Amino acid sequence: MYHLKCIECGAEYSKDEVIYTCSKCDGLLDVIYDYSSIKIDMEKLKTECPSVWKYAKLLPIEREPVTIREGGTPLYKCDRLAEKIGIKKLYVKHEGMNPTGSFKDRGMTVGVTKALELGMSTVACASTGNTSAALAIYGAKAGIPVIVLLPAGKVALGKVAQALMHGAKVLSIRGNFDDALALVRTLCSQEKIYLLNSINPYRLEGQKTIGFEIADQLGFKVPDRIVLPVGNAGNITAIWKGFREFKKLGITDSLPKMTGIQAAGSCPIVKAIKSEAPEITPEEKPETVATAIRIGNPVNAKKALAAIRESGGTAESVTDEEILAAQKDLARLEGIGVEPASAASVAGLKKLIDMGVISRDETVVCITTGHLLKDPQTVIDVCEEPIVVDASIEAIREAIFGKMK
């Protein structure tokens, strides 16, 4: 039992309509449930392994899902990283361990399933990379055509390769992500093509399961704070909703502070939070090494600002240098390999602790959104080159022990 509702004017829409924003005011839509009709089996909830579809009763799907076993990603306790940053208890939820290597799988298993449920036969998105990869793969699994628009020269090759290999029609446009999103929205409004960017409220329903899983993996306890990268701003919105739903249903008894981290060259939400502005001012030319969050006009900005403010959280920006340093720390202290955008969460946590905004006594979960192999070129560019030696034990010993002295 659910329907769609505009977060601006309150207009309501049937679950059977193909609609992405309010037809009256163009406001963002949310999926509204009749929670009184949802019965949760706590014994099953406590014993079943985490996965997206473990929480099917809180997802807006009424048919067999299109799934490749997404979710159930590890929640690592990171003591060495915590010690370096200077915080008592730190966990990392590594969404790069999803089947396609990013958190986008959660939204796409729900979104592509909803497309089929609504009778749509083609799906499309604009992307900085991970969305296109996930949509191409879930579209292939569902047996339907996929169209993706990418900003030319601005997408990591690992992500482009995924979209190409899985048969998507990939269009590389001369423009940035925001241009691509405007174009794909127009395309989907004019053709019978289902839009699966995060402006689609059903996609965010899949992503809220990150919040469910964190609580689940902590024994149905809620951390003091969630810190995560923010690009198009759907994830922070979705995860906040997940935590609120668990509390509403009596599964947990508290809520975390939602803390969004953006790159310094692409931080409209951070600027709005710091200036206490009611809405963002879009950035026309966003730039950062963290390609996954190189977005100047996030479509879910209003939802994200609300999530941060309602939860008592905050937002901060970090430089590319801080992001790359955090990427190395995650890898070399905890063995967690992530793409640059993912490391923004850890970089932001460190900065906010140093600023005194986050207490060192807090229990914090940082979310890393994509796998290291999504963007191998950046790794090659910033890491030391392999040492070339002669094929002799003497040369190897000299290279190893000489360097170590």
Side-chain angles (χ1 to χ4, degrees):
M1 298 290 291
Y2 60 92
H3 62 275
L4 297 173
K5 185 175 181 178
C6 176
I7 69 168
E8 298 282 350
C9 72
E12 296 186 354
Y13 300 91
S14 164
K15 63 183 180 180
D16 299 320
E17 289 187 60
V18 176
I19 188 168
Y20 311 107
T21 59
C22 181
S23 61
K24 297 178 180 178
C25 72
D26 201 36
L28 296 170
L29 302 178
D30 192 14
V31 181
I32 306 298
Y33 298 87
D34 175 9
Y35 293 107
S36 65
S37 70
I38 298 173
K39 307 302 179 187
I40 302 295
D41 183 341
M42 282 304 298
E43 189 59 37
K44 184 178 179 182
L45 200 63
K46 289 177 180 178
T47 56
E48 189 176 328
C49 291
S51 70
V52 168
W53 294 103
K54 173 180 179 176
Y55 314 104
K57 287 187 177 181
L58 288 166
L59 296 173
I61 296 297
E62 299 169 55
R63 56 158 286 159
E64 282 298 308
V66 178
T67 176
I68 51 175
R69 300 187 181 183
E70 50 291 314
T73 55
L75 182 68
Y76 298 115
K77 190 167 184 290
C78 296
D79 293 336
R80 294 182 68 204
L81 186 59
E83 183 179 359
K84 179 169 183 178
I85 291 175
I87 192 167
K88 187 175 180 180
K89 193 175 289 186
L90 172 63
Y91 296 88
V92 169
K93 178 70 167 165
H94 190 12
E95 286 294 290
M97 299 303 284
N98 273 295
T100 81
S102 88
F103 74 97
K104 300 296 177 80
D105 295 2
R106 295 178 185 270
M108 288 308 174
T109 184
V110 174
V112 171
T113 303
K114 178 56 72 174
L116 298 181
E117 200 170 84
L118 291 170
M120 304 297 282
S121 57
T122 303
V123 291
C125 71
S127 181
T128 57
N130 283 329
T131 300
S132 67
L135 184 57
I137 291 166
Y138 281 86
K141 180 68 174 177
I144 58 176
V146 174
I147 300 164
V148 300
L149 274 62
L150 306 175
K154 300 293 186 179
V155 178
L157 289 179
K159 303 172 188 181
V160 179
Q162 286 179 291
L164 291 170
M165 175 56 76
H166 290 87
K169 184 177 286 294
V170 178
L171 306 179
S172 187
I173 70 160
R174 298 184 185 93
N176 62 23
F177 168 80
D178 300 305
D179 299 325
L181 181 56
L183 288 166
V184 80
R185 288 182 68 179
T186 300
L187 176 69
C188 291
S189 69
Q190 295 175 352
E191 306 290 339
K192 193 181 179 183
I193 300 172
Y194 195 59
L195 178 64
L196 274 169
N197 279 96
S198 61
I199 197 167
N200 184 321
Y202 290 118
R203 219 194 81 185
L204 298 187
E205 292 301 293
Q207 291 170 213
K208 74 184 180 184
T209 60
I210 297 173
F212 296 161
E213 282 188 14
I214 291 170
D216 195 332
Q217 290 167 315
L218 291 174
F220 298 100
K221 302 293 184 184
V222 174
D224 298 311
R225 189 180 299 268
I226 303 292
V227 183
L228 71 159
V230 174
N232 221 14
N235 219 23
I236 192 167
T237 299
I239 295 168
W240 173 236
K241 183 176 183 179
F243 280 111
R244 285 190 294 117
E245 287 186 336
F246 260 26
K247 185 172 185 291
K248 187 177 188 70
L249 290 165
I251 297 169
T252 55
D253 59 9
S254 62
L255 295 169
K257 295 176 181 177
M258 302 301 296
T259 300
I261 308 299
Q262 295 191 292
S266 181
C267 59
I269 287 175
V270 174
K271 290 175 181 176
I273 290 292
K274 290 192 171 188
S275 65
E276 300 184 353
E279 57 186 39
I280 65 163
T281 299
E283 297 184 4
E284 291 186 8
K285 296 181 179 180
E287 277 301 333
T288 172
V289 69
T291 57
I293 55 173
R294 188 192 284 150
I295 297 173
N297 188 17
V299 295
N300 285 293
K302 286 189 177 181
K303 286 183 177 180
L305 292 174
I308 292 167
R309 287 166 173 156
E310 287 171 11
S311 69
T314 189
E316 188 53 75
S317 63
V318 288
T319 65
D320 283 356
E321 291 75 20
E322 288 170 322
I323 288 171
L324 294 172
Q327 185 186 27
K328 284 186 177 179
D329 283 344
L330 276 160
R332 298 179 181 186
L333 295 176
E334 299 293 348
I336 301 173
V338 304
E339 66 171 318
S342 294
S345 59
V346 172
L349 173 62
K350 181 180 185 302
K351 183 173 181 179
L352 288 167
I353 289 172
D354 290 344
M355 292 167 61
V357 174
I358 294 178
S359 166
R360 297 181 188 275
D361 292 328
E362 288 188 28
T363 296
V364 175
V365 174
C366 282
I367 295 172
T368 55
T369 46
H371 198 278
L372 174 76
L373 295 178
K374 287 285 192 170
D375 188 3
Q377 188 58 52
T378 299
V379 175
I380 292 168
D381 291 343
V382 303
C383 288
E384 307 84 353
E385 292 186 4
I387 301 167
V388 179
V389 299
D390 291 334
S392 69
I393 193 66
E394 293 79 10
I396 290 171
R397 286 182 180 279
E398 182 179 348
I400 294 172
F401 300 114
K403 296 284 184 182
M404 293 173 67
K405 288 180 182 177

